[in-house]
Amino acid sequence: MENKVSLCGLQESRLAVLLSDFGECWGSYDCGFDFVESIGKSGGLVSFWDKSLFNAITVVKSRFFLDVVGYWKGIIGETIFVNVHAPQAPVEKKILWGKLLNQMNLRTGNWVIFGDFNVVRRPEERLNSFFCPKIAAAFNKFICDVGLLGLNMGGRRFTYFCDDGCKLSKLDRIIVSSNFMFAFPNTSINALPREFLDHSPVLICTHYMNFGAPPFRLYNSCLCRDECDSVIMQAWNSFNGGGAPDIYLSDKLHFAKNAIKL
């Protein structure tokens, strides 16, 4: 209620039977919900939403994702919310990416895919833990193949904390389709403070949110200095990088930013 959430997705719910008190969890009984049952004491997904804003028409369930299709108030066309909890095994992850790719090929709409992907996109998204370039490349390829956008996340650099914070990873994220961004150009993503869990909740907002002063600002006075143009051009042309296009562009801008700061 504090963050005015309209739709919520939970992973590792460990829910094997239908509960009747979802309204108490949501704070109002005017909510819709669906879930994927857990396997024993692990897994399980739950999605619930404000029925006054989102009218669900169909649901697609799998062991590792919960796909809710409907019409969101104010958005033209179908909106598809996909709650994901990816498996640990790399082979099973690739199977999951393939299933999600098939789902997106079958249905055109505004896609919002969120949850625990159990993978990072670049080495900087892990600390004191092993980075697997092959599975990261497969995940980045999936994002590029379906035309999804991975937005910058504010609030926290990492979302998963293991061994009392000794091992940190950015496993939780929200990725959206380009038409969703056209409808909501001010969309922002923020990792909220972690309290009782080993994951930070991740919040997506479709309106502008001010997270404080940016870490770097280019003042107009910098442009008046004779060496400004040459510093930017030299940094831009000398950058060497790779990976997915959005990551490459982000790294290139960061490289140029550091050159200007120096």
Side-chain angles (χ1 to χ4, degrees), residues 199-213:
H199 288 258
S200 289
V202 181
L203 179 70
I204 179 172
C205 294
T206 55
H207 58 278
Y208 175 74
M209 291 190 68
N210 185 3
F211 296 119

Side-chain angles (χ1 to χ4, degrees), residues 1 22-29:
M1 300 180 99
F22 270 101
E24 296 182 7
C25 297
W26 183 255
S28 168
Y29 282 93

Side-chain angles (χ1 to χ4, degrees), residues 58 103 105 130 157 164 169 171 184 195 220 232 234:
T58 186
Q103 288 291 316
N105 289 333
F130 175 72
R157 180 182 175 188
D164 295 328
S169 303
L171 302 182
F184 299 103
E195 295 185 9
N220 289 338
I232 296 175
Q234 182 178 0

Side-chain angles (χ1 to χ4, degrees), residues 48 92 96-97 99 107 137 156 164 201 206 231 242 246-247:
F48 41 111
E92 292 184 340
L96 173 61
W97 309 149
K99 289 182 177 180
R107 190 180 297 273
R156 298 288 186 276
D164 295 328
T206 55
V231 168
D246 56 343
I247 292 179

Side-chain angles (χ1 to χ4, degrees), residues 64-233:
F64 298 115
F65 70 86
L66 175 58
D67 188 346
V68 182
V69 184
Y71 292 95
W72 191 270
K73 187 177 180 180
I75 304 181
I76 299 175
E78 291 181 343
T79 299
I80 305 97
F81 293 99
V82 186
N83 187 356
V84 173
H85 185 204
Q88 292 283 352
V91 174
E92 292 184 340
K93 284 190 180 76
K94 293 181 179 179
I95 294 175
L96 173 61
W97 309 149
K99 289 182 177 180
L100 292 175
L101 178 60
N102 292 335
Q103 288 291 316
M104 298 192 70
N105 289 333
L106 292 174
R107 190 180 297 273
T108 301
N110 307 286
W111 288 82
V112 181
I113 305 178
F114 59 91
D116 180 358
F117 291 88
N118 259 321
V119 65
V120 299
R121 299 191 65 185
R122 57 172 84 177
E124 294 80 10
E125 294 182 348
R126 282 193 180 275
L127 184 64
N128 298 327
S129 60
F130 175 72
F131 171 74
C132 179
K134 289 185 177 180
I135 192 60
F139 184 50
N140 287 324
K141 184 177 184 301
F142 158 73
I143 292 177
C144 292
D145 288 345
V146 296
L148 292 170
L149 303 174
L151 305 179
N152 288 333
M153 182 184 299
R156 298 288 186 276
R157 180 182 175 188
F158 304 103
T159 63
Y160 174 65
F161 303 79
C162 183
D163 297 337
D164 295 328
C166 295
K167 296 181 179 180
L168 308 174
S169 303
K170 186 179 179 181
L171 302 182
D172 309 85
R173 64 181 74 239
I174 301 174
I175 48 181
V176 301
S177 60
S178 57
N179 49 356
F180 182 90
M181 285 302 301
F182 284 133
F184 299 103
N186 290 324
T187 295
S188 60
I189 297 176
N190 191 32
L192 302 178
R194 179 180 63 94
E195 295 185 9
F196 307 108
L197 306 176
D198 52 3
H199 288 258
S200 289
V202 181
L203 179 70
I204 179 172
C205 294
T206 55
H207 58 278
Y208 175 74
M209 291 190 68
N210 185 3
F211 296 119
F216 169 77
R217 178 176 292 150
L218 179 64
Y219 293 97
N220 289 338
S221 59
C222 297
L223 301 176
C224 298
R225 306 179 77 171
D226 294 336
E227 67 272 22
C228 182
D229 288 354
S230 60
V231 168
I232 296 175
M233 292 179 63

